[in-house]
Amino acid sequence: MIPAHIVDEPPLTYADSFDIPVLFRNGPANKPKRQWRTAKHEAWNASDGFPATDGWYAPTTTWREIIKAATEVGRDVTPHLQNQPRYAHGELVARVSPLYAYLGAHAVTPRHPIPGAEGRRLTLNPVYEHGTERTAKNAAAYRVGMTMTEWACRSLLGLGQTHHLELGGPIPALSNTFKDPKRTLPDLWGRHEAEEMYWLIEAKGGSVGVGELRKGWAQLEAGSKILSSYRHRIVLVGASVRPGDDLFLTIDHDLHSGEAPLPPAGSGAGNAAVDPGNLEDHVGDSDDALMGAARAQMLAYLALRSAPASQLRTVPVPVDRASRHRRSGLTTPLEDDDLTLAMRADAREAALRIESRTLRAQIRSRGLDDFLTCRIPGTEVHLGMSRELFAACARLHEEDLAIAQRTPGLRAEDQPALDQGLSDEDQEVQRLTLRRIFREQQENARPRLRPLLRYAYEQGATSDWSDLLRRPQEPKLDLENDEDLLEAATPETYLAVSRYNLPPARA
């Protein structure tokens, strides 16, 4: 049982900021001897790339950034949810709930304090330490590893959208080699805008030792041999945490010279070859960035589309998307955004004088957009998006449905017979094959879909939510200042967490 000296009390109320110790080095080595506490850490200067020198750093982040990473990393399961969009909620719960269940926070006084640090770090809570069986710990370690890897690569180091390598990798001509089932390859790949190179990424989580890191490094080297002609970086992230201690990261990396990356997939003469980076920053000038952003948010779209009307609301954010472009991390906390606060206050005052039936239009005329959002059942997380991105996702979803219905082997009626009598391993191979077929069909449709998604995105800007949702009533426009929520936004998405249900502090 949990020892008696651990007081049973509700979580403390505090802002959702934490310091994450990060050790950069040029290859796997032994786990550092509590250097995450004793070493002199350098301040993190939001370089949007690798620091100039290896060593210890202690960047500060928010729980919102971590949850954003959790909801977006992992296999794209949306092809399996074409006819059952309500199950998108279940997938989001699976990605988020282990973090809430097993992570806590504690105050830390490092030997060499960094000016401006929060003095609070993530750790494992007593439930994990005293009451969780090994299998559940392994599952939690996987989720922590993938989440913190996504956070490190995207929020900290400025990588663009990550993709699972199992679907073929960044170079079409090398796709079959990356798909070779005999090769043990890393988890993810991405394209770094500022560095102008590909990244191959492997994630490890839990009490990560040097043996596990060396296995991950071998996976990266195997992927590097395939990608050897192109300029790339291999990145191994170990998210290590033990009961009673801090969560810290080791980031082992190596740089490989070669040819410049190919233009983004499908870029042609009529489409600007914009290196997407953070996709949402480029949806206005790149059709491929728009398509990538819609793909990245399909899980959230399905969750919003299938939510009961009573659970939907819209929240006001400034129309000016540039105010939410990447500066530090992926999201902009709204409680510190003076523009949003001022415009919301003005809108609340105006609402007292405006008829309810014209309120939404009047608010939009004042420079505020309203993002659709809902709380994901079973979590303390609220997800949302702009009407433009919602419209683009809806059009993309229609195309995905058509792909599934016209492609033999992907149709729902083809599935039961295929799975009968197969071992678990054979079924996994088959599901992977189907995911690859689906992705190939999606890529083949890219040239035709570019203008369709652009048109949907532009039409969405002037559409009512009732039309986009195909429901008779508009969702409630929420102009209240809900102090229970810590909100954040990107150019096209919204995320909020409950202030009172953050990882509990250890007693």
Side-chain angles (χ1 to χ4, degrees):
M1 66 177 63
I2 296 176
H5 72 272
I6 297 178
V7 180
D8 185 20
E9 60 183 4
L12 301 177
T13 301
Y14 49 76
D16 67 334
S17 297
F18 311 93
D19 306 317
I20 308 290
V22 182
L23 172 62
F24 290 88
R25 55 191 187 182
N26 60 8
N30 290 327
K31 184 181 293 185
K33 300 292 186 182
R34 287 186 59 81
Q35 293 173 9
W36 53 91
R37 286 281 184 91
T38 61
K40 184 176 181 179
H41 291 54
E42 298 294 330
W44 185 257
N45 295 314
S47 63
D48 254 10
F50 268 78
T53 59
D54 285 345
W56 281 101
Y57 296 81
T60 298
T61 192
T62 66
W63 187 243
R64 283 165 280 185
E65 285 282 313
I66 293 171
I67 293 300
K68 178 77 169 172
T71 61
E72 296 185 5
V73 69
R75 284 175 172 168
D76 179 11
V77 301
T78 55
H80 304 293
L81 304 176
Q82 298 303 315
N83 297 312
Q84 293 84 17
R86 286 186 176 88
Y87 285 98
H89 295 98
E91 176 64 21
L92 288 166
V93 170
R95 296 182 179 195
V96 169
S97 59
L99 307 179
Y100 276 94
Y102 296 128
L103 290 181
H106 60 184
V108 170
T109 303
R111 184 175 298 176
H112 303 281
I114 297 176
E118 289 293 324
R120 186 170 49 249
R121 296 180 181 177
L122 292 172
T123 186
L124 294 169
N125 65 25
V127 173
Y128 180 98
E129 183 176 354
H130 300 285
T132 303
E133 61 175 312
R134 182 182 302 175
T135 303
K137 289 181 177 181
N138 290 340
Y142 167 79
R143 184 53 57 191
V144 169
M146 291 295 287
T147 297
M148 296 311 299
T149 296
E150 180 83 351
W151 169 81
C153 291
R154 300 200 63 213
S155 292
L156 194 65
L157 300 173
L159 185 68
Q161 192 68 41
T162 60
H163 311 275
H164 258 261
L165 195 60
E166 66 185 14
L167 295 181
I171 309 296
L174 300 175
S175 179
N176 289 334
T177 308
F178 276 117
K179 293 176 185 177
D180 187 348
K182 297 179 181 179
R183 296 178 181 268
T184 304
L185 299 173
D187 295 316
L188 305 167
W189 72 273
R191 179 182 170 121
H192 200 285
E193 182 177 12
E195 291 195 337
E196 298 184 341
M197 67 178 66
Y198 299 119
W199 282 19
L200 297 179
I201 309 152
E202 175 64 18
K204 300 295 183 185
S207 184
V208 184
V210 67
E212 190 171 1
L213 289 177
R214 285 174 177 163
K215 290 179 183 177
W217 195 254
Q219 292 172 249
L220 286 164
E221 289 181 327
S224 181
K225 288 180 181 178
I226 300 173
L227 203 59
S228 59
S229 297
Y230 295 89
R231 186 162 61 247
H232 65 279
R233 186 187 290 274
I234 59 175
V235 182
L236 173 62
V237 181
S240 190
V241 59
R242 292 180 296 188
D245 220 327
D246 312 340
L247 185 151
F248 70 94
L249 305 185
T250 55
I251 300 184
D252 302 314
H253 61 100
D254 194 14
L255 197 60
H256 296 262
S257 60
E259 300 176 34
L262 298 179
S267 297
N271 186 67
V274 175
D275 190 346
N278 188 30
L279 297 171
E280 293 178 35
D281 291 349
H282 298 290
V283 295
D285 51 25
S286 168
D287 293 344
D288 286 309
L290 173 57
M291 192 176 303
R295 286 245 175 266
Q297 297 302 323
M298 283 298 288
L299 195 59
Y301 162 76
L302 293 175
L304 289 166
R305 175 195 161 200
S306 61
S310 60
Q311 295 179 9
L312 293 173
R313 65 187 183 106
T314 63
V315 294
V317 295
V319 170
D320 180 16
R321 282 160 165 74
S323 67
R324 301 186 298 279
H325 280 189
R326 179 189 181 98
R327 289 177 177 83
S328 177
L330 294 179
T331 64
T332 299
L334 296 185
E335 72 271 13
D336 298 326
D337 184 37
D338 293 338
L339 175 64
T340 298
L341 295 176
M343 295 184 76
R344 283 182 172 182
D346 181 61
R348 284 194 297 272
E349 182 179 344
L352 300 175
R353 306 186 302 271
I354 299 173
E355 295 182 22
S356 58
R357 64 186 178 85
T358 63
L359 176 59
R360 198 180 301 268
Q362 290 288 333
I363 294 302
R364 294 180 69 185
S365 71
R366 292 170 176 265
L368 280 171
D369 200 353
D370 58 328
F371 281 21
L372 183 70
T373 181
C374 75
R375 183 177 69 83
I376 304 304
T379 76
E380 297 298 335
V381 177
H382 301 244
L383 296 180
M385 67 178 64
S386 69
R387 66 185 71 231
E388 293 94 327
L389 185 58
F390 189 94
C393 285
R395 186 64 188 86
L396 198 56
H397 178 64
E398 291 177 7
E399 176 62 25
D400 285 349
L401 273 173
I403 289 174
Q405 291 166 358
R406 69 172 178 258
T407 305
L410 298 182
R411 296 172 299 195
E413 59 267 27
D414 295 341
Q415 301 301 305
L418 288 173
D419 284 346
Q420 287 180 357
L422 296 178
S423 67
D424 290 346
E425 183 176 350
D426 288 339
Q427 288 189 40
E428 176 59 23
V429 170
Q430 187 177 70
R431 283 190 287 267
L432 175 57
T433 300
L434 295 178
R435 284 197 296 274
R436 289 170 174 169
I437 292 172
F438 200 97
R439 178 53 59 86
E440 289 169 0
Q441 295 294 317
Q442 289 174 327
E443 288 303 308
N444 290 339
R446 181 181 290 269
R448 180 176 57 82
L449 278 179
R450 285 198 192 99
L452 298 178
L453 260 65
R454 178 59 58 186
Y455 179 78
Y457 181 84
E458 293 173 351
Q459 289 296 109
T462 56
S463 299
D464 292 332
W465 277 115
S466 57
D467 294 331
L468 293 173
L469 291 165
R470 300 175 185 175
R471 297 178 181 180
Q473 293 183 330
E474 289 278 293
K476 177 186 176 182
L477 174 59
D478 190 352
L479 293 175
E480 298 300 320
N481 184 23
D482 188 349
E483 295 184 356
D484 288 353
L485 289 181
L486 291 166
E487 301 175 282
T490 69
E492 302 290 340
T493 69
Y494 172 90
L495 182 145
V497 297
S498 171
R499 185 189 301 269
Y500 300 103
N501 288 280
L502 296 171
R506 283 186 67 103

